[in-house]
Amino acid sequence: CTFPTFPFFSFFHGIRAIRGIGSDAIVGADAPGEVCHVHINCGPTFRYWEGQSLGVVPPGLCPKSGKPNTVRLYSIASTRYGDDGAGTSVSLCVRRAVYWDKETGAEDPAKKGICSNFLCDATPGTEIMMTGPTGQVMLLPKDPSTPVIMVATGTGIAPMRAYIRRFFVEDVPSWNFTGLAWLFMGVANSDATLYDDEFQECVKRFPGQFRIDYALSREQNNKKGGKMYIQDKVEEYKDQVFGLLDGGAHMYFCGLKGMMPGILSMLEGVCKEKGIDYEEWLEGLKKNGQWHVEVY
Ligand code: FAD
Ligand code: A2P
C-alpha cells in the first residue's frame, strides 16, 4: 500500500506505521456479513490494556471530501501480551462494512466502508497507520475477585475476548482472576458466533467460573415471540444479574449503539417489578464505577 508522507498525518497523536500479520474471516457461511480477526505486529513500544481501543488511518483519500482519510476507532481484542504472548502484537475484530443498494438489489463496491475493508483485506506486511491506544471506560476492575458481567453484540465481543483471555487463557504473574465471568453475546445465528471455540475451551476448564449465554436473534424467539435480542437474554437471568450487581459486579456493554435503549428499558422494567428506584440504582452503579459502556 502507498501512503501520503508521514508529516501529513502528524496532527494525530502518537501515529505510527506498523505491519499487519494477517486477517482471517471468523464467521461461518450462513452468518450475515463477514467479520475478520486482524492480527497486527505493533512492536514492543505500543503498550495497551485490555478494554482500550486504537485508531486506524486508512490509506488514500476520502471519496467525498478528496482529503486524506480520517481515523477510525477499533476495540482491541487481544490482551496486553498479544495473541502469541510475545507482547509485540495487537488484534482487532472487524466487521467488513458493505453497502447494499436496495434499488439494484446488489452490493455497491463504490460505497463500501473504507477502513474495515482495508483491514479485512490486509495481508502479511500490509502497512497500517495506527493511533492510540485510547480509552479508560472499559478497563477491568483492579480487584481480580470482582465478578464481571459482559454484554456484547457483534464485534462488541472484542474487549470481552481480551478480558476472557486475561482471566482464563494467560498465566498472568501476580494477577489471578478469582471472580465470576458471565458473557451475554448477541449475534444473528449460530454461524455468526465469534471466538466461540476459544470460549468453550475456557468454559470446559473453568466451568464454575465462566458462563456464556447467547441471544441468536434469527434462530431464537423471546418470550413475546419476537427476535431474541441480548436484552431479552439478560432479562431471563434478571435475579442473578441484579444480585451480582448488588454484590459489586462490574457490567460491560460493547457493540451496537442500538442495543442500549432496549437494555435500559429492560432494566427499568425489572427495577419496577422489584420496587427499586431505577434512576437511583443506575446512578449508584455509575458512581461506584460498576457501569461500563462503549457502543458505536
Ligand atoms: P466508512 O468508509 O466510514 O463508511 C461508513 C458506512 O457508510 C459504511 O457502512 C459504508 O458502506 C457506508 N457508505 C459509504 N459510502 C456511502 C455512500 N456514498 N452512501 C451511503 N453509504 C455509504 N468496528 C468494528 O468492526 N470493530 C470494532 O471493534 C469497532 N470498535 C469501535 C469502537 C469505537 C469506540 C467506535 C467509535 C467505533 C468502533 N467500530 C468498530 C466502528 C469503526 O470505527 C468504523 O466506523 C467501521 O469499521 C466503519 O468504518 P469504514 O471506514 O469501514 O466505513
Ligand atoms: P438482527 O440483525 O437479527 O436484527 P451485528 O452483527 O449487526 O453487529 O448485530 C449483532 C446482533 O445484534 C444481531 O443479532 C442483531 O440482530 C442484534 N441487534 C440488532 N439491533 C438490535 C437492538 N436494537 N437491540 C439488541 N440487539 C440488536
Side-chain angles (χ1 to χ4, degrees):
C1 291
T2 53
F3 289 91
T5 51
F6 192 78
F8 205 69
F9 280 127
S10 59
F11 54 90
F12 288 114
H13 169 71
I15 193 158
R16 64 191 78 207
I18 47 157
R19 300 222 169 252
I21 297 174
S23 168
D24 296 300
I26 51 169
V27 287
D30 289 334
E34 187 182 336
V35 177
C36 297
H37 183 70
V38 184
H39 192 196
I40 301 167
N41 181 1
C42 58
T45 56
F46 185 84
R47 312 300 305 165
Y48 60 91
W49 291 316
E50 300 75 22
Q52 290 199 288
S53 300
L54 59 77
V56 174
V57 185
L61 303 178
C62 169
K64 274 187 206 151
S65 67
K67 292 188 179 153
N69 282 317
T70 50
V71 68
R72 271 72 162 172
L73 286 177
Y74 294 91
S75 306
I76 294 175
S78 50
T79 72
R80 62 191 75 185
Y81 301 112
D83 289 351
D84 57 5
T88 55
S89 70
V90 62
S91 302
L92 308 176
C93 176
V94 180
R95 165 173 283 279
R96 190 189 282 279
V98 292
Y99 184 84
W100 185 258
D101 191 326
K102 281 183 198 143
E103 277 178 25
T104 61
E107 256 176 50
D108 181 348
K111 293 180 182 170
K112 67 185 184 183
I114 293 170
C115 195
S116 57
N117 281 273
F118 166 66
L119 288 170
C120 290
D121 291 335
T123 52
T126 299
E127 205 169 274
I128 299 170
M129 288 289 208
M130 225 166 76
T131 66
T134 58
Q136 298 202 10
V137 174
M138 297 292 281
L139 297 182
L140 283 170
K142 285 206 174 75
D143 179 353
S145 68
T146 309
V148 169
I149 303 167
M150 298 165 272
V151 180
T153 45
T155 54
I157 196 63
M160 317 309 184
R161 176 182 184 256
Y163 306 153
I164 291 162
R165 290 178 72 85
R166 184 150 170 87
F167 295 160
F168 302 120
V169 177
E170 288 173 353
D171 192 6
V172 183
S174 68
W175 199 87
N176 181 24
F177 181 68
T178 55
L180 171 81
W182 192 346
L183 171 67
F184 291 95
M185 174 68 192
V187 287
N189 58 32
S190 27
D191 253 22
T193 60
L194 298 165
Y195 307 107
D196 185 58
D197 294 356
E198 274 182 39
F199 297 163
Q200 295 305 335
E201 269 304 305
C202 298
V203 170
K204 241 188 255 163
R205 288 177 39 237
F206 299 89
Q209 224 189 330
F210 181 30
R211 68 174 289 179
I212 309 179
D213 284 280
Y214 280 107
L216 304 175
S217 57
R218 302 186 197 177
E219 271 179 29
Q220 302 168 333
N221 289 112
N222 62 21
K223 64 181 181 198
K224 291 183 195 143
K227 274 187 172 184
M228 174 65 86
Y229 275 162
I230 194 80
Q231 53 269 34
D232 306 310
K233 191 48 78 179
V234 175
E235 190 178 14
E236 285 179 15
Y237 299 97
K238 57 192 175 191
D239 294 337
Q240 290 100 312
V241 168
F242 270 63
L244 284 165
L245 288 170
D246 278 351
H250 281 224
M251 195 160 189
Y252 292 81
F253 300 88
C254 191
L256 289 180
K257 199 184 273 180
M259 75 173 163
M260 287 318 289
I263 283 174
L264 294 174
S265 107
M266 177 276 291
L267 293 172
E268 188 173 6
V270 177
C271 281
K272 214 170 176 187
E273 271 170 44
K274 291 182 179 291
I276 298 170
D277 182 323
Y278 165 69
E279 306 284 345
E280 206 177 285
W281 176 81
L282 188 58
E283 208 37 56
L285 293 178
K286 288 180 183 171
K287 244 191 223 148
N288 293 340
Q290 291 170 259
W291 186 257
H292 309 262
V293 182
E294 188 156 271
V295 287
Y296 43 89

